[in-house]
Amino acid sequence: MTGRWRVVARRNIWHLLLIPLCLVWVYPFVWMVSAAFKTPREMLIGGLSLMPNDATLENFRRAWTTAKFGTYTANTITFSIAVVILVLLVASTAGYALARPGLPGKKILVGILIATMFIPHGYTIIPTFVLVNGIGLGNGLLGAALAQAGPALVVPVLLFMGFFSGIPKELEEAARMDGAGYLRTYWRVMLPLAKPVLGTVALMNFIGAWNAFFIPLVFTLGNPDLRTLGVGMYGFYGQDTTDWTGLAAAACISVIPVVVVFLFLQRTFVEGIAGAVKS
Amino acid sequence: MTTTVERPLGKVPVAERGPRRPGRFRKHLWSFVFLIPMLLLFGGFTVWPMIASWWYSFFNWDGVGSPTDWVGLANFREVLGADSFWRAFWHSFVFSLAAIFIEMPLALVLAILLNNSWLRFRNLYRLVLFLPVVATTAVIGIVIAILLDPAGGLVNRILLDTGLVDQPVNFLGSTSIALPTLLSIDVWKGFGITLIYWLAALQTVPRDLQEAAAIDGAGFWRALRFVTLPVVMPIAIVILLLVFQRSLNTFDLVRAVTEGGPDYATDVVPTYIYRYAFDPSLQAPRYGFASAAGVVFGLLTLVVTVLQAPLLKRRMGGDR
């Protein structure tokens, strides 16, 4: 009996380590939410209390309209969805093609793709910027989305390739027997089967695009109205007098949607990453 | 008997390869069509920039019009001779070192703990530790900068109130503390994703292998040393590369929190390049020089990656 008790104690002792660690981990988030509801006065006076004395929504109103976070949110949504659609379409077609047995040049292509995975973005940003301007998409969200999606393709292509390679040949042969061509087989048979990969890739790239900073920053330098949330946040900070509570409200607007999306779809996301690491 | 069977088998593909060869490309026509969008995007945003950066780096160019002022290797000479570049490169590398030698082992320890099915609330713990990964770096950077502010920032207030320090610590404004502070934030931010990588790796350890070890009387440490770690090792190399790749791209955090300051004490190569090419306060951007910095950075990264290649190859060989 005492032995059993000792096991229980030994197992639960870990919580003494984990709970403080987790409190430290989430503290910045809790602080951010709390500050967003405080009045600027209360914020200045300080105090360590996380519960605002008289909670106000005024900060959110200011951030949403005066600081243009409404516009930035719309831009971020447009940008993120464009990136996700681009990546899904391009990576699934390429992954499907690369999964065909006996495709000439496949090994070389896959090799090149993998080799470029480790190229730092700092290296490629200038020509990317020149190219997007050159094709007339500079200072636009579509141009930024192309620049974001382009280098983000390798892992999704490999994921789709791995998935489609694992589908039994008989299925495709059956589709062909029924008179389905290449396109129809891909669209009607293979793509619906690939739902788990589609979900993972969509979520990974959505979160990536929502949080993107380097590409949107560089591509919206000439047009502040096209800023995304991350970039807009940063512009906020640069002003001479900083509106701390407005800033906290803006931070909530930027972070909370993606955290909520993640909470709902975390299983897909985590399993997707896990699958990508394993394969 | 065997020879008669072997011969036709060996012969069939040889005989068929000849006449089928031209049809091979026709047969895959649609596949090539399907590859076009990817090749366009990949070519435009990965391959071409790699080549173009080289080309630009030979010019003195402000980004207006096309480059005409050929300066040969002058940009490279300037980059290689600039202490500021090497400092930025070293800082980029320090971010990698912190990720590899601090974040990876700590995440492994926690992953081993959180992988135990007897641990209550483990899903909640995982979720909490993963939250910073999902949050926008630029936003987090700003929030943390406020918390660390020497005048009235919460962390300093706590440190002063508890008497741990008698003067506010200037976490981000001091040339000696700013970089370690940023490194800590980076570890905090990236920890969750590395944890997920490790948890995925631990999932590949076959349960019966663990049970067999337990039956043979192996304690926790022996099972870890002789069962878990050997199985996880090949994946660890992939994780290492992923972590390394992420840390090389550190930009958001530095840009949002310190802009590379104070006195370039936290400058990394991407902020260095950004400063010469895109900074709005610039009189004339120096695309050529920034490209040369990018090329040198890319080459040095390549060297480090190639040094890791034998490890990677061993993993591939071990798997298949």
Side-chain angles (χ1 to χ4, degrees):
Chain A
M1 203 60 192
T2 45
R4 197 186 132 69
W5 192 85
R6 203 176 289 156
V7 169
V8 171
R10 207 172 59 205
R11 286 178 174 181
N12 282 313
I13 209 154
W14 290 109
H15 296 291
L16 292 179
L17 171 91
L18 286 166
I19 292 170
L21 182 76
C22 286
L23 287 179
V24 171
W25 231 250
V26 290
Y27 189 82
F29 295 97
V30 178
W31 180 87
M32 181 181 86
V33 175
S34 132
F37 288 102
K38 284 181 178 172
T39 57
R41 218 177 82 84
E42 189 185 350
M43 181 83 178
L44 268 180
I45 297 165
L48 301 181
S49 163
L50 283 175
M51 281 308 290
N53 279 336
D54 35 8
T56 171
L57 286 173
E58 167 61 21
N59 301 318
F60 284 94
R61 199 198 55 75
R62 230 171 34 248
W64 190 258
T65 52
T66 317
K68 289 197 185 167
F69 269 73
T71 316
Y72 298 162
T73 306
N75 291 340
T76 312
I77 293 172
T78 315
F79 173 74
S80 306
I81 290 179
V83 170
V84 168
I85 292 176
L86 266 170
V87 170
L88 284 185
L89 212 64
V90 176
S92 67
T93 48
Y96 183 60
L98 286 173
R100 300 304 77 216
L103 184 80
K106 171 182 159 175
K107 271 197 176 151
I108 300 169
L109 194 57
V110 173
I112 294 175
L113 282 174
I114 294 178
T116 57
M117 253 174 80
F118 297 99
I119 291 167
H121 298 307
Y123 172 20
T124 54
I125 186 71
I126 292 173
T128 302
F129 186 67
V130 173
L131 175 73
V132 171
N133 279 331
I135 55 177
L137 292 171
N139 282 327
L141 286 174
L142 182 63
L146 278 172
Q148 174 79 20
L153 276 175
V154 177
V155 174
V157 167
L158 296 177
L159 280 177
F160 276 109
M161 187 179 94
F163 181 83
F164 286 132
S165 307
I167 290 180
K169 236 198 211 146
E170 288 76 18
L171 204 71
E172 257 173 275
E173 278 161 9
R176 190 155 309 140
M177 289 296 224
D178 291 345
Y182 192 95
L183 253 178
R184 191 194 276 268
T185 312
Y186 157 79
W187 188 253
R188 282 287 176 75
V189 181
M190 301 305 260
L191 217 49
L193 283 175
K195 258 185 201 144
V197 188
L198 286 168
T200 306
V201 170
L203 196 59
M204 276 181 184
N205 280 282
F206 182 78
I207 292 178
W210 189 280
N211 294 340
F213 184 64
F214 199 17
I215 298 276
L217 173 68
V218 169
F219 280 86
T220 58
L221 282 173
N223 192 348
D225 277 342
L226 289 179
R227 281 176 183 164
T228 56
L229 286 166
V231 182
M233 213 37 222
Y234 173 70
F236 211 122
Y237 195 46
Q239 287 156 11
D240 293 331
T241 50
T242 307
D243 167 8
W244 298 110
T245 52
L247 196 74
C252 288
I253 296 174
S254 315
V255 170
I256 287 174
V258 69
V259 169
V260 169
V261 168
F262 166 71
L263 286 181
F264 275 109
L265 301 171
Q266 52 148 326
R267 186 145 260 206
T268 321
F269 188 62
V270 172
E271 276 169 9
I273 294 176
V277 173
K278 271 190 246 176
S279 56
Chain B
M1 199 53 195
T2 37
T3 41
T4 47
V5 176
E6 251 172 26
R7 219 189 261 149
L9 268 181
K11 250 187 178 173
V12 166
V14 178
E16 273 189 347
R17 203 173 284 162
R20 260 201 190 176
R21 192 96 193 168
R24 209 166 144 223
F25 283 89
R26 266 248 301 282
K27 197 179 122 200
H28 290 289
L29 188 68
W30 266 108
S31 294
F32 291 119
V33 173
F34 264 44
L35 282 173
I36 289 173
M38 190 271 283
L39 290 177
L40 281 178
L41 265 187
F42 183 69
F45 293 99
T46 303
V47 178
W48 188 75
M50 287 169 63
I51 301 162
S53 275
W54 276 95
W55 178 243
Y56 294 161
S57 59
F58 295 115
F59 292 90
N60 183 15
W61 183 37
D62 62 0
V64 180
S66 44
T68 46
D69 185 8
W70 177 274
V71 291
L73 292 172
N75 285 326
F76 285 100
R77 231 170 280 139
E78 194 183 338
V79 169
L80 294 175
D83 283 345
S84 55
F85 173 79
W86 288 110
R87 212 140 47 115
F89 179 75
W90 168 242
H91 294 154
S92 274
F93 202 64
V94 170
F95 272 93
S96 298
L97 292 179
I100 291 168
F101 290 105
I102 299 172
E103 187 182 305
M104 270 185 76
L106 283 181
L108 175 61
V109 170
L110 240 77
I112 290 172
L113 181 58
L114 292 177
N115 197 40
N116 287 311
S117 51
W118 48 257
L119 189 80
R120 257 184 280 173
F121 313 119
R122 60 188 185 135
N123 284 330
L124 185 68
Y125 289 133
R126 289 182 192 183
L127 192 66
V128 166
L129 293 172
F130 195 74
L131 265 187
V133 177
V134 188
T136 316
T137 315
V139 175
I140 288 304
I142 288 167
V143 169
I144 294 213
I146 298 172
L147 289 174
L148 293 178
D149 192 48
L154 190 99
V155 174
N156 266 308
R157 204 175 298 146
I158 293 174
L159 287 178
L160 287 171
D161 285 354
T162 51
L164 280 173
V165 294
D166 39 13
Q167 271 199 335
V169 182
N170 198 350
F171 285 103
L172 299 166
S174 138
T175 46
S176 55
I177 311 177
L179 189 63
T181 307
L182 273 190
L183 291 173
S184 321
I185 304 173
D186 192 52
V187 167
W188 171 78
K189 175 89 172 86
F191 191 83
I193 194 100
T194 314
L195 180 75
I196 299 293
Y197 292 158
W198 280 124
L199 282 168
L202 290 174
Q203 298 289 307
T204 62
V205 181
R207 186 150 294 186
D208 42 345
L209 214 59
Q210 285 169 301
E211 277 162 11
I215 290 168
D216 289 350
F220 171 78
W221 292 109
R222 287 181 69 85
L224 184 70
R225 165 79 181 77
F226 294 106
V227 178
T228 312
L229 289 184
V231 175
V232 164
M233 229 33 205
I235 306 181
I237 290 155
V238 176
I239 299 176
L240 178 82
L241 287 172
L242 287 169
V243 168
F244 176 66
Q245 192 247 4
R246 193 199 71 223
S247 57
L248 278 179
N249 281 316
T250 304
F251 172 82
D252 307 12
L253 189 70
V254 176
R255 181 77 197 147
V257 179
T258 61
E259 298 190 38
D263 193 25
Y264 306 122
T266 57
D267 209 15
V268 287
V269 180
T271 51
Y272 186 84
I273 293 171
Y274 178 87
R275 203 167 46 245
Y276 282 99
F278 300 111
D279 200 320
S281 61
L282 278 180
Q283 297 295 321
R286 297 189 60 198
Y287 275 32
F289 176 71
S291 293
V295 167
V296 173
F297 185 42
L299 277 180
L300 291 169
T301 312
L302 189 72
V303 170
V304 178
T305 315
V306 165
L307 289 179
Q308 293 170 329
L311 292 171
L312 193 68
K313 198 168 264 172
R314 211 176 59 194
R315 149 168 162 84
M316 296 303 187
D319 243 12
R320 268 142 229 176

